[in-house]
Amino acid sequence: MNFKLALACFCILFFQSVFSKSMDNLLKSYHPHVSNNTKGDKFLYRTASPAKMIKDEKYPLLVFFHGAGGRGDNNMGQLLDAGGLQAFEKAGVRTKFQSHVFAGQVPKGERWVNVHWSLLGHKMPKISGSMRMAFEAVDAYIQDPKNQVDSKRIYVMGLSMGGYGTWDAIQRRPNFFAAAVPICGGGDTSLASKLIDLPIWAWHGGGDKVIKPSRSRDMINAISKAGGSPKYSEIKGRGHNSWVDCWNTDELWKWLYSQSKD
């Protein structure tokens, strides 16, 4: 092995080690949990608290639905997939916005919503096991007084498979969330009237070939026709990673954390 090749290998290993340690340090703020139901089903999730909490004050909660790449049983993939962990830290979700974060993990081969992503439309199916257990775990987290969660400031965000999950969650619980950010997903347009009062900012890549941008467009148009005023950002030339544009938009985070239920 010549000197240049050896140096290149060393640099790669060094930066991999630094990156791994950086991820480990970030993950330490997201505590792992496991919940079980009476049927013996297991649900993995992580939660993070605001960087600083003051007794008797209330704090917002961000519920995050990961994409297909985050599935598994390691209770980490839901935050590592698509760079979610880094994005939340960069945006200051726990620090600047003093927010809780809840991120559940779908088991391998399962989905937040049991529909095929290639469909150009769907009717809301029976709730998936992962979504049902996510709701149960979120409810328990909110109800625990030590978490001091502000029930008027519960937000939901998800990408790709989790974009479907976001639309599904707000259609099943239209009065539960204070705002929603579905990224490159799709929902049931026939239920649009349920969402006219909910602040929504949807995102999609104009060149997305995995999930057609029409899935977001159709939802936005249906809600608008029903009397709502959702926001929509379609990124010209962007493929199936419009979460990059969403997460790097300061206005998005300011908008999200300014929302509160009456």
Side-chain angles (χ1 to χ4, degrees):
M1 181 182 293
N2 62 39
F3 176 75
K4 289 184 178 179
L5 181 59
L7 180 61
C9 290
F10 172 79
C11 290
I12 291 172
L13 292 173
F14 174 77
F15 285 114
Q16 284 180 336
S17 175
V18 171
F19 179 78
S20 178
K21 289 180 180 179
S22 176
M23 289 300 98
D24 288 343
N25 287 335
L26 290 179
L27 273 172
K28 287 179 182 178
S29 298
Y30 292 75
H31 306 292
H33 308 271
V34 180
S35 63
N36 299 275
N37 63 16
T38 56
K39 297 180 181 179
D41 298 319
K42 182 171 66 173
F43 183 68
L44 306 178
Y45 63 100
R46 282 188 181 248
T47 62
S49 302
K52 294 181 180 180
M53 295 178 65
I54 300 173
K55 185 178 180 181
D56 297 327
E57 286 197 13
K58 297 290 187 180
Y59 298 90
L61 166 66
L62 175 63
V63 178
F64 176 63
F65 292 120
H66 67 83
R71 293 180 290 190
D73 59 3
N74 61 5
N75 211 351
M76 294 188 295
Q78 69 268 40
L79 285 164
L80 300 182
D81 178 50
L85 179 63
Q86 301 98 306
F88 297 156
E89 293 303 302
K90 179 181 177 182
V93 170
R94 297 184 310 106
T95 52
K96 178 180 178 179
F97 296 105
Q98 287 293 293
S99 177
H100 292 274
V101 179
F102 177 101
Q105 184 174 38
V106 174
K108 186 176 181 180
E110 297 186 21
R111 305 184 182 205
W112 290 117
V113 188
N114 292 321
V115 297
H116 200 284
W117 304 317
S118 65
L119 296 176
L120 297 181
H122 75 267
K123 297 297 182 183
M124 187 169 69
K126 179 181 177 181
I127 190 170
S128 71
S130 292
M131 183 62 73
R132 176 174 41 78
M133 294 191 75
F135 278 152
E136 292 171 357
V138 166
D139 289 343
Y141 189 79
I142 293 168
Q143 291 163 9
D144 188 335
K146 77 172 183 293
N147 294 325
Q148 301 172 223
V149 175
D150 184 350
S151 61
K152 294 183 178 181
R153 300 183 65 205
I154 300 171
Y155 311 116
V156 58
M157 169 186 283
L159 61 94
S160 191
M161 181 182 80
Y164 279 84
T166 301
W167 285 116
D168 191 73
I170 61 180
Q171 291 184 317
R172 293 183 189 280
R173 292 189 170 191
N175 301 312
F176 183 77
F177 299 99
V181 183
I183 307 169
C184 53
D188 183 347
T189 56
S190 70
L191 300 177
S193 61
K194 289 187 173 185
L195 305 177
I196 60 175
D197 296 321
L198 177 66
I200 296 170
W201 190 342
W203 294 71
H204 217 118
D208 194 335
K209 298 185 184 305
V210 178
I211 298 172
K212 299 296 184 182
S214 62
R215 294 308 314 264
S216 288
R217 288 186 210 137
D218 290 347
M219 286 303 302
I220 294 301
N221 290 336
I223 296 169
S224 298
K225 288 179 180 178
S229 301
K231 294 167 66 70
Y232 178 51
S233 293
E234 185 169 308
I235 312 303
K236 184 178 180 180
R238 176 66 74 183
H240 189 60
N241 61 335
S242 52
W243 51 84
V244 172
D245 305 278
C246 175
W247 288 340
N248 286 324
T249 301
D250 290 341
E251 182 186 352
L252 176 279
W253 296 107
K254 294 175 183 176
W255 172 87
L256 181 64
Y257 280 97
S258 70
Q259 306 301 322
S260 181
K261 290 169 58 178
D262 295 333

